[in-house]
């Protein structure tokens, strides 16, 4: 989905929190280009849980527990039932820190690549591709892995995933990339696509 269409709000923040309503013992990690951006996404979720914004606590109760881990990088909410879990309800990472040592049930990786980093040059695209490949080893076999991406150029994360792992289903606007189009139904990823240009 193009920039400024609300994908971070609806997916990274809201859908991530919504999933914990159904399974409060879930371990979810939020990733981004750099760790501070991921911590910013978590900050929004924390504000909702603490009744500083929205109607969440009125609808679902108070999830803030001052006795549990609650900092800028990770939180354990009060709705969690299994206190023996050592990983947080919500954790954060960036391309710069990776997912090493974590074993999440869900990963929401929001734009590991940006136009700013691409303009800066260097090996950032190669670094991001390496980080994405390395993340697979941290995932549980039945985990949910969601990329929230803006397409920038051939060989970016979206292109890498579509071409190497393949596409199981494609929704939203039609696929115009001939390299992917003929192979839809033969891969791993479920894609929802809206393009910025017609």
């Amino acid at each position: 989905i193009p920039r400024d269409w609300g994908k971070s709000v609806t997916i990274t923040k809201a859908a991530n929190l919504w999933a914990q309503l159904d399974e409060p013992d879930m371990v979810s990690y939020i990733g981004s280009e750099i760790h501070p951006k991921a911590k910013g996404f978590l900050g929004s979720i924390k504000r909702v849980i603490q009744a500083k914004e929205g109607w969440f606590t009125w609808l679902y109760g108070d999830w803030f527990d001052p006795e549990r881990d609650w900092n800028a990088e990770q939180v354990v909410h009060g709705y969690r039932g299994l206190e023996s879990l050592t990983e947080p309800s919500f954790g954060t990472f960036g391309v710069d820190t990776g997912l090493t040592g974590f074993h999440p049930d869900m990963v929401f990786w929001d734009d590991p690549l940006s136009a700013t980093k691409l303009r800066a040059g260097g090996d950032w695209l190669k670094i991001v591709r390496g980080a994405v490949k390395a993340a697979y080893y941290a995932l549980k076999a039945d985990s949910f892995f969601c990329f929230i991406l803006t397409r920038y150029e051939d060989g970016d994360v979206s292109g890498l995933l579509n071409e190497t792992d393949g596409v199981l289903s494609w929704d939203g606007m039609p696929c115009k990339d001939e390299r992917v189009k003929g192979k839809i139904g033969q891969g791993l990823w479920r894609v929802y696509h809206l393009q910025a240009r017609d």
Side-chain angles (χ1 to χ4, degrees):
I1 298 178
R3 296 186 66 187
D4 300 321
W5 282 48
K7 60 186 182 290
S8 295
V9 172
T10 56
I11 304 167
T12 308
K13 299 172 187 176
N16 198 352
L17 183 55
W18 173 80
Q20 297 259 351
L21 287 169
D22 190 47
E23 180 48 66
D25 295 323
M26 184 123 16
V27 175
S28 179
Y29 272 81
I30 302 166
S32 195
E33 170 186 31
I34 54 174
H35 197 194
K37 279 189 179 179
K39 290 189 281 188
F41 292 135
L42 177 60
S44 297
I45 292 172
K46 287 164 49 179
R47 291 183 62 77
V48 169
I49 291 174
Q50 290 179 298
K52 293 181 179 177
E53 293 177 10
W55 292 54
F56 187 85
T57 55
W58 184 79
L59 294 168
Y60 305 113
D62 184 1
W63 285 22
F64 177 66
D65 183 347
E67 300 297 316
R68 295 185 177 189
D69 195 10
W70 192 275
N71 60 52
E73 294 186 11
Q74 61 185 32
V75 301
V76 177
H77 58 64
Y79 189 46
R80 176 176 273 182
L82 295 175
E83 292 186 40
S84 61
L85 287 175
T86 58
E87 294 190 294
S89 302
F90 298 102
T92 57
F93 71 98
V95 170
D96 51 342
T97 60
L99 268 172
T100 305
F102 305 129
H103 301 289
D105 298 298
M106 296 191 310
V107 173
F108 290 81
W109 204 336
D110 196 315
D111 274 334
L113 192 60
S114 72
T116 304
K117 288 282 192 181
L118 286 173
R119 280 193 299 270
D123 289 335
W124 189 251
L125 183 55
K126 183 178 176 184
I127 291 166
V128 170
R129 289 172 64 125
V132 168
K133 288 178 183 175
Y136 285 111
Y137 298 107
L139 301 173
K140 294 178 181 176
D142 61 348
S143 60
F144 176 78
F145 199 0
C146 180
F147 278 98
I148 299 92
L149 299 167
T150 299
R151 186 75 197 257
Y152 290 104
E153 61 181 48
D154 286 345
D156 64 7
V157 176
S158 179
L160 172 72
L161 298 174
N162 291 345
E163 292 164 27
T164 58
D165 294 343
V167 176
L168 180 62
S169 65
W170 190 285
D171 294 301
M173 296 175 88
C175 177
K176 293 183 179 182
D177 187 338
E178 294 301 326
R179 293 168 294 184
V180 175
K181 197 174 190 177
K183 298 178 184 175
I184 293 174
Q186 304 173 33
L188 301 175
W189 292 96
R190 296 181 184 274
V191 176
Y192 180 79
H193 173 75
L194 290 180
Q195 65 186 40
R197 301 184 188 112
D198 59 22

